[in-house]
Amino acid sequence: QVQLVESGGGLVQPGGSLRLSCAASGSILTIYTMGWFRQAPGKQRELVAEITSSGSTKFADSVKGRFTISGDNAKRTVHLQMNSLKSEDTAVYYCHWYSVLWPGREYWGQGTQVTVSS
């Protein structure tokens, strides 16, 4: 079992920045992928960015060049730095964890609201 606790989020004006953090605890493996998904009202949940325990990253095309993701294996945390935010970034953001060593298992955080509005 893996528990994910998110922090950050809130209201920001267009062009502003926010930082999301997620801390994992529980039965943690050393090979894993952590990342962020988001879901806007009426839309499907989509991948925003993810990072593997070896440091490889992946981003949605819509956030490339604006968002960065970083991880700390020792602290089992991942951070999503969101810059140049747009109204279309408004969504509930969910932390996500999975490991190729545990096929079929995945874990989600409770979600944190990000609202980009003037």
Side-chain angles (χ1 to χ4, degrees):
Q1 192 76 3
V2 175
Q3 294 80 42
L4 302 174
V5 178
E6 302 151 340
S7 60
L11 174 64
V12 64
Q13 292 186 341
S17 298
L18 278 176
R19 186 176 190 244
L20 304 182
S21 296
C22 178
S25 61
S27 302
I28 303 296
L29 303 177
T30 58
I31 298 175
Y32 60 86
T33 299
M34 285 183 74
W36 294 90
F37 283 69
R38 67 186 180 188
Q39 188 167 19
K43 294 188 177 181
Q44 289 187 330
R45 191 173 295 190
E46 62 176 1
L47 173 69
V48 178
E50 64 182 16
I51 184 168
T52 68
S53 48
S54 61
S56 298
T57 59
K58 181 179 179 180
F59 294 90
D61 288 342
S62 59
V63 307
K64 285 180 180 177
R66 300 188 298 122
F67 291 12
T68 59
I69 189 167
S70 60
D72 185 328
N73 288 342
K75 295 182 179 179
R76 297 170 181 168
T77 58
V78 64
H79 307 285
L80 182 69
Q81 179 65 41
M82 305 184 291
N83 299 326
S84 302
L85 283 161
K86 305 175 181 179
S87 58
E88 50 262 44
D89 295 316
T90 295
V92 178
Y93 284 68
Y94 296 90
C95 183
H96 180 250
W97 186 101
Y98 73 94
S99 173
V100 294
L101 301 179
W102 278 356
R105 296 191 195 183
E106 59 180 348
Y107 298 91
W108 297 91
Q110 77 281 3
T112 185
Q113 178 70 46
V114 171
T115 302
V116 184
S117 175
S118 55

